[in-house]
Protein backbone atom coordinates (compact mmCIF):
# COMPACT_ATOMS: atom_id res chain seq x y z
CA UNK A 1 0.00 0.00 0.00
CA UNK A 2 1.45 3.36 -0.98
CA UNK A 3 1.24 6.40 1.28
CA UNK A 4 1.88 8.75 -1.67
CA UNK A 5 -0.72 11.51 -1.92
CA UNK A 6 -2.04 14.76 -0.45
CA UNK A 7 -4.16 14.64 2.69
CA UNK A 8 -6.23 17.36 4.36
CA UNK A 9 -6.79 17.40 8.11
CA UNK A 10 -10.41 16.51 8.93
CA UNK A 11 -10.37 16.34 12.73
CA UNK A 12 -8.06 16.28 15.72
CA UNK A 13 -8.38 15.41 19.40
CA UNK A 14 -6.39 16.80 22.35
CA UNK A 15 -4.43 19.34 20.26
CA UNK A 16 -4.16 22.01 22.99
CA UNK A 17 -3.10 19.81 25.96
CA UNK A 18 -0.63 17.91 23.77
CA UNK A 19 1.01 21.07 22.39
CA UNK A 20 1.24 22.46 25.95
CA UNK A 21 2.99 19.23 27.01
CA UNK A 22 5.47 19.72 24.14
CA UNK A 23 6.18 23.21 25.45
CA UNK A 24 4.64 25.29 22.66
CA UNK A 25 3.73 28.88 23.61
CA UNK A 26 0.01 29.58 24.12
CA UNK A 27 -0.19 32.04 21.18
CA UNK A 28 1.17 29.40 18.75
CA UNK A 29 -1.27 26.82 20.12
CA UNK A 30 -4.24 29.19 19.62
CA UNK A 31 -3.07 30.08 16.08
CA UNK A 32 -2.55 26.45 15.12
CA UNK A 33 -5.62 24.77 16.58
CA UNK A 34 -8.06 25.63 13.78
CA UNK A 35 -5.74 25.36 10.79
CA UNK A 36 -6.64 22.62 8.32
CA UNK A 37 -3.14 21.41 7.55
CA UNK A 38 -2.27 19.67 4.28
CA UNK A 39 0.15 16.74 4.38
CA UNK A 40 1.89 15.66 1.21
CA UNK A 41 3.59 12.28 1.27
CA UNK A 42 5.88 10.88 -1.42
CA UNK A 43 6.84 7.25 -0.93
CA UNK A 44 9.55 5.63 -3.05
CA UNK A 45 10.02 2.11 -1.73
CA UNK A 46 11.43 2.59 1.78
CA UNK A 47 12.15 6.30 1.29
CA UNK A 48 9.60 8.87 2.41
CA UNK A 49 9.30 12.64 1.98
CA UNK A 50 6.63 14.24 4.15
CA UNK A 51 5.68 17.92 3.82
CA UNK A 52 3.10 19.35 6.21
CA UNK A 53 1.77 22.84 5.46
CA UNK A 54 -0.21 24.52 8.24
CA UNK A 55 -0.95 28.12 7.37
CA UNK A 56 2.44 29.76 6.82
CA UNK A 57 4.40 27.02 8.61
CA UNK A 58 5.92 24.29 6.47
CA UNK A 59 7.55 21.25 8.07
CA UNK A 60 9.53 18.84 5.89
CA UNK A 61 10.86 15.45 6.92
CA UNK A 62 12.68 12.83 4.87
CA UNK A 63 13.43 9.37 6.15
CA UNK A 64 14.16 5.80 5.11
CA UNK A 65 12.43 2.94 6.91
CA UNK A 66 14.80 1.31 9.42
CA UNK A 67 17.52 4.00 9.17
CA UNK A 68 18.28 6.81 11.60
CA UNK A 69 17.09 10.18 10.26
CA UNK A 70 16.84 13.72 11.55
CA UNK A 71 13.17 14.62 11.99
CA UNK A 72 11.58 17.96 12.83
CA UNK A 73 9.07 17.71 15.67
CA UNK A 74 5.85 19.73 15.99
CA UNK A 75 7.63 22.24 18.23
CA UNK A 76 10.37 22.82 15.63
CA UNK A 77 12.99 20.79 17.50
CA UNK A 78 15.16 18.49 15.36
CA UNK A 79 15.73 14.98 16.70
CA UNK A 80 17.30 11.74 15.51
CA UNK A 81 14.87 8.85 15.17
CA UNK A 82 14.31 5.57 13.35
CA UNK A 83 10.95 5.07 11.62
CA UNK A 84 9.78 1.45 11.33
CA UNK A 85 7.06 -0.02 9.11
CA UNK A 86 4.53 -2.36 10.71
CA UNK A 87 2.61 -4.42 8.18
CA UNK A 88 2.26 -2.45 4.95
CA UNK A 89 0.23 0.50 6.24
CA UNK A 90 1.70 1.67 9.55
CA UNK A 91 4.70 3.93 10.28
CA UNK A 92 5.93 3.86 13.89
CA UNK A 93 8.65 5.83 15.67
CA UNK A 94 9.69 6.73 19.22
CA UNK A 95 11.10 10.20 19.88
CA UNK A 96 12.00 11.62 23.28
CA UNK A 97 9.46 9.50 25.16
CA UNK A 98 6.76 10.11 22.54
CA UNK A 99 5.36 7.35 20.35
CA UNK A 100 4.12 8.32 16.90
CA UNK A 101 1.97 5.99 14.78
CA UNK A 102 0.77 6.91 11.30
CA UNK A 103 -1.73 4.45 9.85
CA UNK A 104 -3.14 4.44 6.33
CA UNK A 105 -6.55 2.87 5.71
CA UNK A 106 -7.84 3.44 2.18
CA UNK A 107 -7.95 7.24 1.73
CA UNK A 108 -7.69 8.04 5.44
CA UNK A 109 -4.54 8.61 7.46
CA UNK A 110 -4.78 8.47 11.24
CA UNK A 111 -1.77 9.93 13.07
CA UNK A 112 -1.67 9.18 16.79
CA UNK A 113 1.00 10.59 19.10
CA UNK A 114 1.28 9.46 22.70
CA UNK A 115 3.28 11.24 25.40
CA UNK A 116 2.86 9.72 28.84
CA UNK A 117 -0.90 9.41 29.35
CA UNK A 118 -1.72 12.11 26.75
CA UNK A 119 -2.85 11.05 23.26
CA UNK A 120 -3.12 13.44 20.33
CA UNK A 121 -5.02 12.10 17.32
CA UNK A 122 -5.30 13.61 13.84
CA UNK A 123 -7.42 12.22 11.01
CA UNK A 124 -6.70 13.34 7.43
CA UNK A 125 -8.41 12.42 4.17
CA UNK A 126 -6.82 12.06 0.72
CA UNK A 127 -7.66 15.02 -1.56
Amino acid sequence: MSFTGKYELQSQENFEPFMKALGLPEDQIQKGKDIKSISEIVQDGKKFKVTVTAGTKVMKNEFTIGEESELEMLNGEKVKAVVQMEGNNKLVTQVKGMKSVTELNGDTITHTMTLGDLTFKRVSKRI
Side-chain angles (χ1 to χ4, degrees), residues 22-86:
L22 285 180
L24 252 70
E26 187 64 34
D27 63 322
Q28 280 187 15
I29 293 172
Q30 292 309 315
K31 264 194 267 180
K33 71 177 182 175
D34 296 320
I35 292 175
K36 290 279 188 222
S37 64
I38 303 283
S39 301
E40 186 170 2
I41 301 173
V42 178
Q43 180 183 356
D44 180 10
K46 290 185 166 197
K47 290 186 190 299
F48 283 78
K49 284 183 187 176
V50 181
T51 307
V52 180
T53 306
T56 56
K57 183 168 173 25
V58 178
M59 190 171 77
K60 291 183 181 189
N61 282 314
E62 291 187 31
F63 58 89
T64 301
I65 299 297
E67 294 180 15
E68 186 176 75
S69 310
E70 186 176 78
L71 300 175
E72 184 180 347
M73 292 182 50
L74 294 168
N75 59 4
E77 188 180 346
K78 295 206 184 300
V79 294
K80 297 241 183 262
V82 177
V83 180
Q84 299 291 354
M85 176 89 74
E86 287 182 9

Side-chain angles (χ1 to χ4, degrees), residues 72-103:
E72 184 180 347
M73 292 182 50
L74 294 168
N75 59 4
E77 188 180 346
K78 295 206 184 300
V79 294
K80 297 241 183 262
V82 177
V83 180
Q84 299 291 354
M85 176 89 74
E86 287 182 9
N88 65 351
N89 71 328
K90 205 181 271 193
L91 302 172
V92 180
T93 189
Q94 294 267 0
V95 181
K96 298 184 90 174
M98 178 177 73
K99 183 176 184 180
S100 170
V101 178
T102 304
E103 187 171 1

